Amino acid sequence: MIRRIAYALALPLLLFGGWWVLSAGSESFYAPPLSEILTAFGNTWTLSALRSDVLPSLLRLLSGYLLAAVIGIGLGLAIGVNRRLRFTVEPVLELFRAVPPPVLVPVIMLFAGIGDGMKVIVIVFGCVWPVLLNTVEGVRAVDGVVLETARSYGVTGPARITRVILPSAGPQIAAGLRQALSIAIILMVISEMFAASNGLGFTIVQFQRSFAIPEMWSGIILLGLLGFALSLLFRLAERRALRWYEGLRAAQRRAG
Amino acid sequence: MTPVRRGNPAWLGHPAILGVAGLAGLLLVIQLLPTLGLVNDRHLPPTSAILAALADELGTGQFWISLKDTLVAWAWGVLIAVGAGVLAGLAIGSVPVLRELTASTVEFLRPIPSVALIPLAVLLYGTEIGSTLLLVCYAAFWQVLVQVLYGVADVDPVAEETARSYRFSAWARVRYVLWPTALPYVFTGVRLAASVALILAITAELVIGSPGLGKDIAVAQASEAVPTMYALIVVTGVLGVLINLLARFGERHLLGWHQSVRGEVIA
Protein backbone atom coordinates (compact mmCIF):
# COMPACT_ATOMS: atom_id res chain seq x y z
CA MET A 1 0.00 0.00 0.00
CA ILE A 2 2.75 2.43 1.01
CA ARG A 3 4.67 1.35 -2.05
CA ARG A 4 1.71 2.15 -4.30
CA ILE A 5 1.28 5.60 -2.80
CA ALA A 6 4.99 6.25 -3.16
CA TYR A 7 4.87 5.22 -6.81
CA ALA A 8 1.82 7.38 -7.46
CA LEU A 9 3.38 10.44 -5.85
CA ALA A 10 7.01 10.11 -6.96
CA LEU A 11 6.80 11.40 -10.51
CA PRO A 12 4.36 14.26 -9.88
CA LEU A 13 6.55 15.46 -7.01
CA LEU A 14 9.65 15.16 -9.19
CA LEU A 15 8.04 17.10 -12.05
CA PHE A 16 6.70 19.73 -9.72
CA GLY A 17 10.05 20.06 -7.98
CA GLY A 18 11.81 20.24 -11.33
CA TRP A 19 9.50 22.98 -12.51
CA TRP A 20 10.01 24.85 -9.23
CA VAL A 21 13.82 24.65 -9.35
CA LEU A 22 14.23 25.25 -13.08
CA SER A 23 11.89 28.21 -13.15
CA ALA A 24 13.09 29.70 -9.85
CA GLY A 25 15.43 32.23 -11.42
CA SER A 26 13.43 32.53 -14.63
CA GLU A 27 13.63 35.93 -16.26
CA SER A 28 11.46 34.79 -19.16
CA PHE A 29 8.31 36.86 -19.44
CA TYR A 30 6.16 33.93 -20.59
CA ALA A 31 7.42 31.36 -18.09
CA PRO A 32 7.49 33.04 -14.70
CA PRO A 33 8.81 31.15 -11.63
CA LEU A 34 6.38 28.58 -10.25
CA SER A 35 6.46 30.30 -6.87
CA GLU A 36 5.09 33.43 -8.54
CA ILE A 37 2.37 31.43 -10.31
CA LEU A 38 1.31 29.83 -7.03
CA THR A 39 1.17 33.20 -5.30
CA ALA A 40 -0.94 34.49 -8.18
CA PHE A 41 -3.15 31.41 -7.84
CA GLY A 42 -3.85 32.21 -4.21
CA ASN A 43 -4.50 35.87 -4.92
CA THR A 44 -6.60 35.36 -8.03
CA TRP A 45 -8.88 32.49 -7.15
CA THR A 46 -10.25 33.72 -3.87
CA LEU A 47 -13.66 32.59 -2.67
CA SER A 48 -15.43 35.55 -4.22
CA ALA A 49 -13.65 35.02 -7.55
CA LEU A 50 -14.62 31.37 -7.45
CA ARG A 51 -18.23 32.38 -6.83
CA SER A 52 -18.36 35.02 -9.57
CA ASP A 53 -16.35 33.25 -12.28
CA VAL A 54 -16.10 29.53 -11.65
CA LEU A 55 -19.60 28.91 -10.32
CA PRO A 56 -21.41 30.33 -13.40
CA SER A 57 -19.16 28.25 -15.64
CA LEU A 58 -19.89 25.10 -13.67
CA LEU A 59 -23.64 25.74 -13.66
CA ARG A 60 -23.66 26.15 -17.45
CA LEU A 61 -21.55 23.04 -17.80
CA LEU A 62 -23.78 20.93 -15.58
CA SER A 63 -27.11 22.07 -17.01
CA GLY A 64 -25.90 21.63 -20.59
CA TYR A 65 -24.40 18.26 -19.85
CA LEU A 66 -27.44 16.91 -18.03
CA LEU A 67 -29.81 18.11 -20.74
CA ALA A 68 -27.62 16.51 -23.40
CA ALA A 69 -27.56 13.25 -21.44
CA VAL A 70 -31.34 13.13 -21.09
CA ILE A 71 -31.98 14.04 -24.73
CA GLY A 72 -29.25 11.75 -26.01
CA ILE A 73 -30.35 8.70 -24.05
CA GLY A 74 -34.05 9.32 -24.79
CA LEU A 75 -33.62 9.74 -28.53
CA GLY A 76 -31.01 6.99 -28.61
CA LEU A 77 -33.49 4.53 -27.10
CA ALA A 78 -36.15 5.49 -29.61
CA ILE A 79 -33.78 5.20 -32.56
CA GLY A 80 -32.09 2.07 -31.28
CA VAL A 81 -35.22 -0.06 -30.96
CA ASN A 82 -36.55 0.94 -34.39
CA ARG A 83 -34.49 -0.56 -37.19
CA ARG A 84 -35.98 1.48 -40.04
CA LEU A 85 -35.67 4.76 -38.18
CA ARG A 86 -32.05 3.93 -37.35
CA PHE A 87 -31.07 3.33 -40.98
CA THR A 88 -32.85 6.54 -42.00
CA VAL A 89 -31.24 8.91 -39.53
CA GLU A 90 -27.82 7.30 -39.14
CA PRO A 91 -26.01 9.19 -41.97
CA VAL A 92 -27.48 12.48 -40.72
CA LEU A 93 -26.30 11.77 -37.18
CA GLU A 94 -22.82 10.78 -38.38
CA LEU A 95 -22.61 14.08 -40.26
CA PHE A 96 -23.68 16.06 -37.21
CA ARG A 97 -21.21 14.23 -35.03
CA ALA A 98 -18.38 14.89 -37.48
CA VAL A 99 -18.90 18.66 -37.35
CA PRO A 100 -16.31 20.00 -34.89
CA PRO A 101 -18.51 21.18 -31.96
CA PRO A 102 -16.82 24.59 -31.50
CA VAL A 103 -17.99 25.81 -34.93
CA LEU A 104 -21.50 25.62 -33.48
CA VAL A 105 -20.71 28.63 -31.30
CA PRO A 106 -21.11 31.22 -34.10
CA VAL A 107 -24.24 29.47 -35.41
CA ILE A 108 -25.95 29.32 -32.04
CA MET A 109 -24.96 32.91 -31.33
CA LEU A 110 -27.17 33.86 -34.29
CA PHE A 111 -30.19 32.20 -32.72
CA ALA A 112 -29.67 32.69 -29.03
CA GLY A 113 -27.57 35.83 -28.70
CA ILE A 114 -24.67 35.78 -26.25
CA GLY A 115 -26.38 35.07 -22.94
CA ASP A 116 -26.26 32.04 -20.68
CA GLY A 117 -28.81 30.33 -22.91
CA MET A 118 -26.37 30.36 -25.81
CA LYS A 119 -23.68 28.66 -23.78
CA VAL A 120 -26.01 25.96 -22.48
CA ILE A 121 -27.38 25.29 -25.98
CA VAL A 122 -23.84 25.09 -27.38
CA ILE A 123 -22.92 22.52 -24.74
CA VAL A 124 -26.09 20.51 -25.37
CA PHE A 125 -25.56 20.53 -29.13
CA GLY A 126 -21.96 19.43 -28.81
CA CYS A 127 -22.47 16.75 -26.18
CA VAL A 128 -25.61 15.12 -27.44
CA TRP A 129 -24.05 13.24 -30.40
CA PRO A 130 -21.64 10.92 -28.62
CA VAL A 131 -24.34 10.06 -26.05
CA LEU A 132 -26.95 9.53 -28.75
CA LEU A 133 -24.80 7.39 -31.04
CA ASN A 134 -23.43 5.29 -28.21
CA THR A 135 -26.93 4.70 -26.84
CA VAL A 136 -28.10 3.60 -30.29
CA GLU A 137 -25.15 1.19 -30.53
CA GLY A 138 -25.74 -0.10 -27.01
CA VAL A 139 -29.45 -0.67 -27.58
CA ARG A 140 -28.75 -2.39 -30.87
CA ALA A 141 -26.27 -4.75 -29.26
CA VAL A 142 -28.63 -5.99 -26.53
CA ASP A 143 -28.46 -9.77 -26.43
CA GLY A 144 -31.30 -11.26 -28.47
CA VAL A 145 -31.77 -14.14 -26.04
CA VAL A 146 -32.19 -11.71 -23.15
CA LEU A 147 -34.83 -9.80 -25.11
CA GLU A 148 -36.78 -12.94 -26.01
CA THR A 149 -36.54 -14.29 -22.49
CA ALA A 150 -37.84 -11.02 -21.11
CA ARG A 151 -40.69 -11.09 -23.59
CA SER A 152 -41.71 -14.61 -22.73
CA TYR A 153 -41.75 -13.72 -19.04
CA GLY A 154 -44.12 -10.92 -19.92
CA VAL A 155 -41.69 -8.06 -19.26
CA THR A 156 -43.07 -5.40 -21.59
CA GLY A 157 -43.65 -1.65 -21.75
CA PRO A 158 -41.64 0.63 -19.46
CA ALA A 159 -40.22 -2.32 -17.49
CA ARG A 160 -38.71 -3.69 -20.68
CA ILE A 161 -36.80 -0.45 -21.16
CA THR A 162 -35.74 0.22 -17.57
CA ARG A 163 -35.07 -3.40 -16.55
CA VAL A 164 -33.75 -4.99 -19.77
CA ILE A 165 -32.58 -2.55 -22.41
CA LEU A 166 -31.09 0.28 -20.34
CA PRO A 167 -28.95 -1.90 -18.05
CA SER A 168 -27.52 -3.94 -20.88
CA ALA A 169 -26.75 -0.83 -22.93
CA GLY A 170 -25.33 0.79 -19.78
CA PRO A 171 -21.59 0.31 -20.36
CA GLN A 172 -21.87 1.69 -23.89
CA ILE A 173 -23.96 4.65 -22.72
CA ALA A 174 -21.36 5.36 -20.03
CA ALA A 175 -18.66 5.45 -22.70
CA GLY A 176 -20.68 8.04 -24.59
CA LEU A 177 -21.26 10.08 -21.45
CA ARG A 178 -17.53 10.07 -20.72
CA GLN A 179 -16.72 11.40 -24.20
CA ALA A 180 -19.43 14.00 -23.81
CA LEU A 181 -17.97 15.23 -20.53
CA SER A 182 -14.67 16.26 -22.07
CA ILE A 183 -16.49 17.90 -24.98
CA ALA A 184 -18.64 19.78 -22.47
CA ILE A 185 -15.61 21.25 -20.72
CA ILE A 186 -14.08 22.31 -24.04
CA LEU A 187 -17.31 23.96 -25.17
CA MET A 188 -17.79 25.72 -21.86
CA VAL A 189 -14.37 27.34 -22.20
CA ILE A 190 -14.70 28.12 -25.92
CA SER A 191 -18.16 29.66 -25.65
CA GLU A 192 -16.91 31.89 -22.84
CA MET A 193 -13.83 32.88 -24.80
CA PHE A 194 -16.10 33.95 -27.64
CA ALA A 195 -18.55 36.11 -25.83
CA ALA A 196 -19.10 36.43 -22.12
CA SER A 197 -18.77 38.82 -19.25
CA ASN A 198 -17.84 36.23 -16.65
CA GLY A 199 -16.73 32.65 -16.44
CA LEU A 200 -13.48 30.78 -16.44
CA GLY A 201 -12.76 30.97 -20.19
CA PHE A 202 -13.48 34.69 -20.24
CA THR A 203 -11.22 35.40 -17.27
CA ILE A 204 -8.28 33.43 -18.66
CA VAL A 205 -8.46 35.22 -22.00
CA GLN A 206 -8.69 38.55 -20.17
CA PHE A 207 -5.46 37.71 -18.30
CA GLN A 208 -3.76 36.73 -21.55
CA ARG A 209 -4.83 39.94 -23.32
CA SER A 210 -3.64 42.11 -20.48
CA PHE A 211 -0.38 40.11 -20.29
CA ALA A 212 -0.98 39.09 -16.68
CA ILE A 213 1.11 35.99 -17.27
CA PRO A 214 1.30 34.42 -13.77
CA GLU A 215 -2.47 34.88 -13.44
CA MET A 216 -2.97 33.27 -16.85
CA TRP A 217 -0.88 30.29 -15.80
CA SER A 218 -2.89 29.99 -12.60
CA GLY A 219 -6.06 29.93 -14.70
CA ILE A 220 -4.66 27.16 -16.88
CA ILE A 221 -3.79 25.17 -13.76
CA LEU A 222 -7.27 25.71 -12.36
CA LEU A 223 -8.82 24.47 -15.62
CA GLY A 224 -6.59 21.43 -15.48
CA LEU A 225 -7.61 20.69 -11.89
CA LEU A 226 -11.26 21.11 -12.86
CA GLY A 227 -10.94 18.68 -15.77
CA PHE A 228 -9.21 16.18 -13.52
CA ALA A 229 -11.77 16.52 -10.72
CA LEU A 230 -14.73 16.12 -13.08
CA SER A 231 -13.30 13.02 -14.70
CA LEU A 232 -12.61 11.58 -11.24
CA LEU A 233 -16.20 12.26 -10.18
CA PHE A 234 -17.47 10.68 -13.36
CA ARG A 235 -15.42 7.58 -12.76
CA LEU A 236 -16.76 7.21 -9.24
CA ALA A 237 -20.34 7.59 -10.47
CA GLU A 238 -19.72 5.16 -13.30
CA ARG A 239 -18.20 2.57 -11.00
CA ARG A 240 -21.24 2.84 -8.72
CA ALA A 241 -23.81 2.61 -11.49
CA LEU A 242 -22.09 -0.19 -13.37
CA ARG A 243 -20.90 -2.21 -10.40
CA TRP A 244 -22.59 -5.36 -11.70
CA TYR A 245 -20.77 -4.99 -15.02
CA GLU A 246 -17.33 -4.58 -13.50
CA GLY A 247 -18.00 -7.63 -11.33
CA LEU A 248 -19.17 -9.64 -14.34
CA ARG A 249 -16.05 -8.75 -16.31
CA ALA A 250 -13.76 -9.57 -13.41
CA ALA A 251 -15.47 -12.94 -13.05
CA GLN A 252 -15.15 -13.60 -16.77
CA ARG A 253 -11.48 -12.71 -16.68
CA ARG A 254 -10.89 -15.11 -13.80
CA ALA A 255 -12.77 -17.87 -15.59
CA GLY A 256 -11.08 -17.21 -18.94
CA MET B 1 -46.04 -7.48 -40.08
CA THR B 2 -49.05 -5.57 -41.31
CA PRO B 3 -50.33 -6.22 -44.85
CA VAL B 4 -49.47 -2.64 -45.84
CA ARG B 5 -45.80 -3.21 -45.09
CA ARG B 6 -45.75 -6.45 -47.00
CA GLY B 7 -46.95 -4.54 -50.03
CA ASN B 8 -43.79 -2.39 -50.07
CA PRO B 9 -41.06 -3.56 -52.41
CA ALA B 10 -38.08 -5.00 -50.53
CA TRP B 11 -35.60 -2.35 -51.70
CA LEU B 12 -37.51 0.33 -49.81
CA GLY B 13 -36.15 -1.14 -46.59
CA HIS B 14 -32.56 -1.22 -47.79
CA PRO B 15 -30.22 0.67 -45.42
CA ALA B 16 -28.62 2.74 -48.21
CA ILE B 17 -31.99 3.86 -49.57
CA LEU B 18 -33.23 4.78 -46.09
CA GLY B 19 -29.97 6.64 -45.39
CA VAL B 20 -30.22 8.69 -48.56
CA ALA B 21 -33.86 9.41 -47.72
CA GLY B 22 -32.77 10.64 -44.31
CA LEU B 23 -30.18 13.03 -45.76
CA ALA B 24 -32.66 14.26 -48.37
CA GLY B 25 -35.18 14.83 -45.60
CA LEU B 26 -32.68 16.95 -43.67
CA LEU B 27 -31.97 19.10 -46.75
CA LEU B 28 -35.71 19.48 -47.35
CA VAL B 29 -36.38 20.56 -43.75
CA ILE B 30 -33.59 23.15 -43.91
CA GLN B 31 -35.03 24.41 -47.19
CA LEU B 32 -38.58 24.64 -45.84
CA LEU B 33 -37.98 26.12 -42.37
CA PRO B 34 -36.80 29.55 -43.59
CA THR B 35 -38.93 29.56 -46.76
CA LEU B 36 -42.12 29.05 -44.77
CA GLY B 37 -41.01 31.75 -42.34
CA LEU B 38 -40.73 29.39 -39.35
CA VAL B 39 -37.13 30.49 -38.83
CA ASN B 40 -35.59 33.83 -39.66
CA ASP B 41 -33.62 33.30 -42.88
CA ARG B 42 -30.85 35.53 -41.56
CA HIS B 43 -30.32 32.88 -38.89
CA LEU B 44 -30.77 29.79 -41.01
CA PRO B 45 -30.62 30.30 -44.78
CA PRO B 46 -32.44 27.70 -46.94
CA THR B 47 -30.52 24.75 -48.40
CA SER B 48 -30.46 26.36 -51.84
CA ALA B 49 -28.71 29.47 -50.50
CA ILE B 50 -26.19 27.36 -48.55
CA LEU B 51 -25.44 25.24 -51.60
CA ALA B 52 -25.02 28.37 -53.76
CA ALA B 53 -22.60 29.79 -51.20
CA LEU B 54 -20.76 26.48 -51.14
CA ALA B 55 -20.41 26.54 -54.93
CA ASP B 56 -19.11 30.12 -54.70
CA GLU B 57 -16.56 29.08 -52.08
CA LEU B 58 -15.36 26.12 -54.13
CA GLY B 59 -14.62 28.56 -56.96
CA THR B 60 -12.37 30.82 -54.88
CA GLY B 61 -8.66 30.27 -54.41
CA GLN B 62 -8.87 31.32 -50.77
CA PHE B 63 -11.02 28.32 -49.90
CA TRP B 64 -8.51 25.82 -51.25
CA ILE B 65 -5.63 27.57 -49.49
CA SER B 66 -7.55 27.43 -46.21
CA LEU B 67 -8.44 23.80 -46.77
CA LYS B 68 -4.78 23.04 -47.40
CA ASP B 69 -3.72 24.95 -44.25
CA THR B 70 -6.19 23.03 -42.11
CA LEU B 71 -5.21 19.67 -43.58
CA VAL B 72 -1.48 20.39 -43.23
CA ALA B 73 -1.86 21.31 -39.56
CA TRP B 74 -4.04 18.25 -39.07
CA ALA B 75 -1.62 15.88 -40.79
CA TRP B 76 1.47 17.14 -38.97
CA GLY B 77 -0.37 17.06 -35.68
CA VAL B 78 -1.52 13.46 -36.17
CA LEU B 79 1.95 12.40 -37.37
CA ILE B 80 3.78 13.92 -34.42
CA ALA B 81 1.21 12.72 -31.89
CA VAL B 82 1.19 9.16 -33.23
CA GLY B 83 4.99 8.98 -33.40
CA ALA B 84 5.47 10.33 -29.89
CA GLY B 85 2.52 8.40 -28.48
CA VAL B 86 3.64 5.03 -29.86
CA LEU B 87 7.26 5.46 -28.77
CA ALA B 88 6.33 6.68 -25.31
CA GLY B 89 3.62 4.03 -24.97
CA LEU B 90 5.92 1.14 -25.90
CA ALA B 91 8.70 2.42 -23.66
CA ILE B 92 6.44 3.03 -20.66
CA GLY B 93 4.28 -0.02 -21.21
CA SER B 94 7.08 -2.56 -21.50
CA VAL B 95 8.82 -1.51 -18.27
CA PRO B 96 6.53 -2.26 -15.30
CA VAL B 97 8.28 0.19 -12.96
CA LEU B 98 7.89 3.02 -15.45
CA ARG B 99 4.23 2.18 -15.89
CA GLU B 100 3.56 2.33 -12.16
CA LEU B 101 5.53 5.55 -11.84
CA THR B 102 3.77 7.36 -14.68
CA ALA B 103 0.22 6.11 -14.10
CA SER B 104 -0.82 8.93 -11.80
CA THR B 105 0.78 11.61 -13.97
CA VAL B 106 -0.91 10.32 -17.13
CA GLU B 107 -4.24 10.14 -15.32
CA PHE B 108 -3.79 13.72 -14.21
CA LEU B 109 -2.57 15.26 -17.47
CA ARG B 110 -4.98 13.45 -19.79
CA PRO B 111 -8.26 15.06 -18.73
CA ILE B 112 -6.79 18.58 -18.84
CA PRO B 113 -8.84 20.21 -21.57
CA SER B 114 -6.56 21.13 -24.45
CA VAL B 115 -8.36 24.44 -24.90
CA ALA B 116 -6.80 25.50 -21.60
CA LEU B 117 -3.59 25.83 -23.59
CA ILE B 118 -5.09 28.34 -26.04
CA PRO B 119 -3.78 31.45 -24.22
CA LEU B 120 -0.36 29.87 -23.95
CA ALA B 121 -0.32 28.98 -27.66
CA VAL B 122 -1.29 32.54 -28.54
CA LEU B 123 1.55 33.97 -26.46
CA LEU B 124 4.11 31.53 -27.85
CA TYR B 125 3.20 31.44 -31.53
CA GLY B 126 0.68 34.23 -32.12
CA THR B 127 -1.53 33.35 -35.06
CA GLU B 128 1.05 31.14 -36.77
CA ILE B 129 0.39 27.51 -37.60
CA GLY B 130 2.50 26.62 -34.54
CA SER B 131 -0.32 27.47 -32.15
CA THR B 132 -2.67 25.15 -34.04
CA LEU B 133 -0.05 22.40 -33.96
CA LEU B 134 0.54 22.76 -30.22
CA LEU B 135 -3.14 22.19 -29.44
CA VAL B 136 -3.56 19.41 -32.00
CA CYS B 137 -0.49 17.51 -30.82
CA TYR B 138 -1.41 17.84 -27.16
CA ALA B 139 -4.96 16.57 -27.65
CA ALA B 140 -4.07 13.75 -30.05
CA PHE B 141 -1.02 12.52 -28.12
CA TRP B 142 -3.03 11.28 -25.12
CA GLN B 143 -5.46 9.34 -27.29
CA VAL B 144 -2.58 7.39 -28.84
CA LEU B 145 -0.58 6.97 -25.62
CA VAL B 146 -3.48 5.56 -23.62
CA GLN B 147 -4.44 3.10 -26.36
CA VAL B 148 -0.84 1.89 -26.74
CA LEU B 149 -0.62 1.40 -22.98
CA TYR B 150 -3.79 -0.73 -23.08
CA GLY B 151 -2.34 -2.65 -26.00
CA VAL B 152 0.93 -3.41 -24.28
CA ALA B 153 -0.91 -4.54 -21.17
CA ASP B 154 -2.88 -6.97 -23.33
CA VAL B 155 0.15 -9.09 -24.30
CA ASP B 156 -0.47 -12.79 -23.77
CA PRO B 157 1.80 -13.85 -20.89
CA VAL B 158 2.29 -17.31 -22.45
CA ALA B 159 3.54 -15.80 -25.71
CA GLU B 160 5.78 -13.46 -23.77
CA GLU B 161 7.26 -16.27 -21.68
CA THR B 162 7.67 -18.53 -24.71
CA ALA B 163 9.62 -15.78 -26.45
CA ARG B 164 11.75 -15.39 -23.34
CA SER B 165 12.52 -19.10 -23.06
CA TYR B 166 13.55 -19.13 -26.72
CA ARG B 167 15.94 -16.35 -25.76
CA PHE B 168 14.45 -13.72 -28.02
CA SER B 169 16.43 -10.51 -27.64
CA ALA B 170 14.64 -7.52 -26.14
CA TRP B 171 14.28 -6.01 -29.59
CA ALA B 172 12.89 -9.22 -31.10
CA ARG B 173 10.34 -9.45 -28.30
CA VAL B 174 9.15 -5.93 -29.04
CA ARG B 175 9.09 -6.65 -32.75
CA TYR B 176 7.41 -10.07 -32.75
CA VAL B 177 5.35 -10.21 -29.54
CA LEU B 178 4.61 -6.73 -28.27
CA TRP B 179 4.07 -4.89 -31.54
CA PRO B 180 1.62 -7.33 -33.20
CA THR B 181 -0.44 -7.46 -30.00
CA ALA B 182 -0.49 -3.71 -29.59
CA LEU B 183 -1.17 -2.96 -33.26
CA PRO B 184 -5.00 -3.03 -33.17
CA TYR B 185 -4.90 -0.69 -30.17
CA VAL B 186 -2.48 1.57 -32.03
CA PHE B 187 -4.93 1.77 -34.89
CA THR B 188 -7.80 2.59 -32.54
CA GLY B 189 -5.58 5.32 -31.11
CA VAL B 190 -4.79 6.66 -34.58
CA ARG B 191 -8.48 6.71 -35.47
CA LEU B 192 -9.39 8.60 -32.31
CA ALA B 193 -6.42 10.93 -32.71
CA ALA B 194 -7.37 11.70 -36.33
CA SER B 195 -10.84 12.92 -35.42
CA VAL B 196 -9.75 14.77 -32.28
CA ALA B 197 -6.98 16.44 -34.28
CA LEU B 198 -9.46 17.78 -36.83
CA ILE B 199 -11.68 19.19 -34.07
CA LEU B 200 -8.73 20.90 -32.40
CA ALA B 201 -7.26 22.20 -35.67
CA ILE B 202 -10.52 23.92 -36.58
CA THR B 203 -11.13 25.10 -33.02
CA ALA B 204 -7.69 26.69 -32.85
CA GLU B 205 -8.22 28.45 -36.16
CA LEU B 206 -11.65 29.63 -35.08
CA VAL B 207 -10.61 30.98 -31.69
CA ILE B 208 -7.00 32.05 -32.27
CA GLY B 209 -7.30 33.10 -35.90
CA SER B 210 -4.46 31.01 -37.33
CA PRO B 211 -4.99 30.41 -41.07
CA GLY B 212 -7.44 27.67 -42.14
CA LEU B 213 -11.12 26.82 -42.47
CA GLY B 214 -11.85 27.77 -38.86
CA LYS B 215 -10.58 31.29 -39.42
CA ASP B 216 -12.75 31.57 -42.54
CA ILE B 217 -15.78 30.61 -40.46
CA ALA B 218 -14.93 33.34 -37.94
CA VAL B 219 -14.47 35.86 -40.78
CA ALA B 220 -17.77 34.86 -42.40
CA GLN B 221 -19.50 35.24 -39.04
CA ALA B 222 -17.97 38.68 -38.43
CA SER B 223 -18.98 39.90 -41.89
CA GLU B 224 -22.48 38.41 -41.47
CA ALA B 225 -22.08 36.20 -44.54
CA VAL B 226 -24.38 33.62 -42.97
CA PRO B 227 -24.81 31.24 -45.96
CA THR B 228 -21.02 31.14 -46.41
CA MET B 229 -20.61 30.34 -42.74
CA TYR B 230 -23.05 27.43 -43.02
CA ALA B 231 -21.35 26.25 -46.21
CA LEU B 232 -17.97 26.15 -44.46
CA ILE B 233 -19.45 24.31 -41.49
CA VAL B 234 -20.86 21.71 -43.87
CA VAL B 235 -17.36 21.37 -45.35
CA THR B 236 -15.88 20.71 -41.91
CA GLY B 237 -18.56 18.08 -41.25
CA VAL B 238 -17.89 16.33 -44.54
CA LEU B 239 -14.17 16.47 -43.80
CA GLY B 240 -14.81 14.81 -40.45
CA VAL B 241 -16.88 12.04 -42.04
CA LEU B 242 -14.21 11.45 -44.71
CA ILE B 243 -11.40 11.25 -42.15
CA ASN B 244 -13.45 8.79 -40.12
CA LEU B 245 -14.18 6.61 -43.15
CA LEU B 246 -10.56 6.73 -44.28
CA ALA B 247 -9.32 5.68 -40.84
CA ARG B 248 -11.78 2.78 -40.66
CA PHE B 249 -10.92 1.68 -44.19
CA GLY B 250 -7.18 1.82 -43.52
CA GLU B 251 -7.63 -0.11 -40.28
CA ARG B 252 -9.54 -2.89 -41.99
CA HIS B 253 -7.03 -3.17 -44.83
CA LEU B 254 -3.79 -2.99 -42.89
CA LEU B 255 -5.08 -5.19 -40.09
CA GLY B 256 -6.85 -7.70 -42.34
CA TRP B 257 -4.75 -10.53 -40.88
CA HIS B 258 -5.63 -9.71 -37.28
CA GLN B 259 -8.12 -11.68 -35.22
CA SER B 260 -10.07 -8.61 -34.13
CA VAL B 261 -10.76 -7.55 -37.72
CA ARG B 262 -11.28 -11.04 -39.14
CA GLY B 263 -13.81 -11.81 -36.45
CA GLU B 264 -15.62 -8.57 -37.14
CA VAL B 265 -15.94 -9.27 -40.86
CA ILE B 266 -17.25 -12.81 -40.39
CA ALA B 267 -19.77 -11.78 -37.79
Side-chain angles (χ1 to χ4, degrees):
Chain A
M1 189 66 200
I2 291 172
R3 214 183 76 109
R4 271 186 56 194
I5 294 176
Y7 268 122
L9 287 180
L11 189 61
L13 284 180
L14 200 70
L15 288 176
F16 216 65
W19 186 6
W20 184 282
V21 172
L22 286 179
S23 70
S26 170
E27 298 287 310
S28 162
F29 181 64
Y30 294 143
L34 183 55
S35 51
E36 212 171 290
I37 296 175
L38 290 183
T39 322
F41 192 99
N43 292 336
T44 313
W45 306 109
T46 54
L47 266 184
S48 73
L50 287 180
R51 197 160 43 229
S52 68
D53 280 319
V54 181
L55 194 64
S57 292
L58 279 179
L59 286 179
R60 290 171 198 144
L61 177 82
L62 280 185
S63 42
Y65 182 69
L66 288 181
L67 264 176
V70 171
I71 297 173
I73 295 175
L75 280 181
L77 278 175
I79 295 171
V81 294
N82 188 332
R83 197 176 142 275
R84 244 161 220 274
L85 186 61
R86 179 159 60 82
F87 284 135
T88 312
V89 297
E90 212 153 47
V92 176
L93 296 181
E94 286 291 338
L95 181 68
F96 272 117
R97 181 173 59 169
V99 172
V103 305
L104 296 171
V105 178
V107 173
I108 291 167
M109 265 166 68
L110 284 177
F111 285 96
I114 58 171
D116 280 341
M118 178 277 270
K119 280 142 208 147
V120 174
I121 296 175
V122 165
I123 294 175
V124 172
F125 252 84
C127 293
V128 85
W129 310 115
V131 182
L132 178 58
L133 284 161
N134 272 291
T135 309
V136 171
E137 275 302 298
V139 171
R140 200 175 61 99
V142 175
D143 191 353
V145 177
V146 173
L147 282 180
E148 312 258 292
T149 313
R151 183 171 301 155
S152 36
Y153 276 105
V155 182
T156 51
R160 186 175 159 85
I161 287 178
T162 55
R163 293 288 161 102
V164 183
I165 295 179
L166 266 185
S168 85
Q172 187 91 30
I173 295 176
L177 285 173
R178 193 174 331 119
Q179 274 180 33
L181 184 63
S182 50
I183 296 179
I185 301 176
I186 291 180
L187 286 177
M188 173 194 89
V189 176
I190 298 264
S191 64
E192 289 172 356
M193 283 180 172
F194 246 82
S197 53
N198 63 0
L200 205 44
F202 168 78
T203 319
I204 294 178
V205 168
Q206 268 329 89
F207 287 144
Q208 176 231 319
R209 292 202 179 129
S210 54
F211 291 96
I213 305 299
E215 284 79 7
M216 181 197 89
W217 273 102
S218 77
I220 293 179
I221 292 178
L222 183 66
L223 255 185
L225 288 174
L226 195 69
F228 178 69
L230 284 175
S231 82
L232 204 66
L233 269 180
F234 183 87
R235 228 175 20 198
L236 287 179
E238 183 188 13
R239 198 165 291 171
R240 231 187 125 73
L242 295 179
R243 207 162 22 190
W244 61 273
Y245 176 70
E246 305 272 337
L248 182 70
R249 276 223 317 212
Q252 278 170 348
R253 231 176 286 138
R254 268 199 302 276
Chain B
M1 280 286 156
T2 54
V4 183
R5 270 203 195 162
R6 211 180 292 147
N8 283 337
W11 58 265
L12 264 184
H14 192 276
I17 302 283
L18 287 173
V20 170
L23 280 175
L26 177 72
L27 294 181
L28 192 68
V29 168
I30 296 179
Q31 174 73 31
L32 287 181
L33 280 179
T35 325
L36 294 179
L38 292 172
V39 176
N40 189 336
D41 63 355
R42 273 183 311 178
H43 294 169
L44 178 68
T47 311
S48 51
I50 297 177
L51 288 180
L54 184 60
D56 274 351
E57 275 298 305
L58 294 180
T60 61
Q62 176 59 39
F63 170 78
W64 297 102
I65 296 175
S66 299
L67 184 64
K68 195 203 78 190
D69 283 336
T70 301
L71 285 180
V72 165
W74 170 79
W76 273 113
V78 172
L79 213 65
I80 297 173
V82 169
V86 168
L87 284 182
L90 286 180
I92 294 173
S94 49
V95 183
V97 179
L98 268 185
R99 193 180 328 171
E100 273 189 74
L101 272 176
T102 50
S104 60
T105 313
V106 171
E107 281 306 305
F108 179 72
L109 288 178
R110 191 163 64 116
I112 292 180
S114 42
V115 287
L117 299 178
I118 285 180
L120 191 64
V122 174
L123 286 181
L124 289 178
Y125 297 104
T127 55
E128 303 284 309
I129 194 174
S131 37
T132 314
L133 262 183
L134 177 70
L135 295 181
V136 171
C137 289
Y138 182 83
F141 171 75
W142 298 110
Q143 306 285 345
V144 182
L145 178 71
V146 170
Q147 287 299 325
V148 175
L149 286 179
Y150 282 143
V152 175
D154 197 37
V155 166
D156 183 1
V158 177
E160 170 74 13
E161 273 154 30
T162 312
R164 268 177 202 276
S165 38
Y166 278 101
R167 304 230 171 146
F168 275 35
S169 66
W171 165 247
R173 264 182 307 170
V174 170
R175 171 70 188 81
Y176 296 108
V177 181
L178 209 60
W179 182 241
T181 314
L183 206 52
Y185 292 88
V186 173
F187 271 97
T188 308
V190 172
R191 190 152 45 89
L192 292 174
S195 49
V196 167
L198 182 72
I199 293 180
L200 262 294
I202 287 172
T203 305
E205 292 158 4
L206 183 74
V207 179
I208 301 174
S210 47
L213 288 174
K215 185 187 176 189
D216 289 0
I217 293 177
V219 170
Q221 183 225 356
S223 55
E224 301 200 356
V226 178
T228 310
M229 186 178 87
Y230 275 95
L232 288 170
I233 290 174
V234 171
V235 171
T236 62
V238 172
L239 214 56
V241 171
L242 285 181
I243 285 176
N244 217 339
L245 286 179
L246 196 75
R248 269 173 209 277
F249 181 79
E251 190 177 1
R252 192 154 302 164
H253 260 244
L254 295 172
L255 274 183
W257 53 273
H258 199 277
Q259 184 66 46
S260 64
V261 176
R262 284 207 321 251
E264 204 173 90
V265 174
I266 293 165

